Amino acid sequence: MYFIYLSTLGWETPKITEERLERELASLPQEDLAPFIFTMDTFTINLKGEPKRTVQIIVNLEMLGKEGYEEVINMENRTRAKDRIISLVGDRQWSEVETIQGKLLLKSQITEEINHLLNVGVVKNIYFSQFVAQ
């Protein structure tokens, strides 16, 4: 019992509670909570290495806010983002993208590259809704 008593001496009630967070989220406008996902066109990209292989992917960008979504749908930013994605995927060999770890690494690199292109927006996550290799 003594050890239990000692372990509870420094214990404090949490300052942030689930109920408080739910109240704060309920007070926000619903448009700020909606996910902002931009679906890019289908990419068909040649991988490097032998034998020659191609991948066909559809990339979905989950943006952190409405401003970022509006920035990424801008034609200039969209074109630069497509170019970076094609370069990143095209520099890979099949062995690098066939595993789950390879796809996760690719997703994080795409997120980082697109975040560097944007001024206001932030890419929260990337989803591959299609990833077909031939």
Side-chain angles (χ1 to χ4, degrees), residues 94-113:
W94 170 244
S95 60
E96 295 175 286
V97 296
E98 73 176 328
T99 64
I100 291 176
Q101 292 86 359
K103 288 179 182 78
L104 291 174
L105 178 62
L106 185 62
K107 285 171 71 169
S108 69
Q109 290 175 340
I110 290 172
T111 302
E112 184 178 326
E113 286 293 325

Side-chain angles (χ1 to χ4, degrees), residues 28-86:
L28 290 175
Q30 289 300 316
E31 65 185 31
D32 291 343
L33 298 176
F36 295 97
I37 297 178
F38 175 70
T39 302
M40 302 185 86
D41 297 331
T42 303
F43 295 90
T44 303
I45 305 167
N46 294 319
L47 297 173
K48 73 177 186 178
E50 294 294 330
K52 291 291 184 189
R53 290 186 169 238
T54 61
V55 292
Q56 188 176 44
I57 59 174
I58 297 176
V59 178
N60 302 290
L61 306 174
E62 181 179 6
M63 303 305 294
L64 197 55
K66 187 175 183 179
E67 298 84 20
Y69 179 81
E70 291 172 356
E71 184 178 11
V72 84
I73 63 172
N74 174 349
M75 183 56 122
E76 180 182 330
N77 290 331
R78 193 172 19 166
T79 303
R80 292 187 307 167
K82 286 168 116 177
D83 179 61
R84 291 304 310 145
I85 292 170
I86 290 170

Side-chain angles (χ1 to χ4, degrees), residues 5-33:
Y5 174 74
L6 281 180
S7 67
T8 60
L9 282 178
W11 187 81
E12 295 179 16
T13 58
K15 292 180 173 71
I16 299 176
T17 62
E18 189 173 339
E19 293 84 22
R20 181 175 153 216
L21 287 176
E22 286 176 357
R23 281 193 309 263
E24 289 176 7
L25 287 175
S27 68
L28 290 175
Q30 289 300 316
E31 65 185 31
D32 291 343
L33 298 176

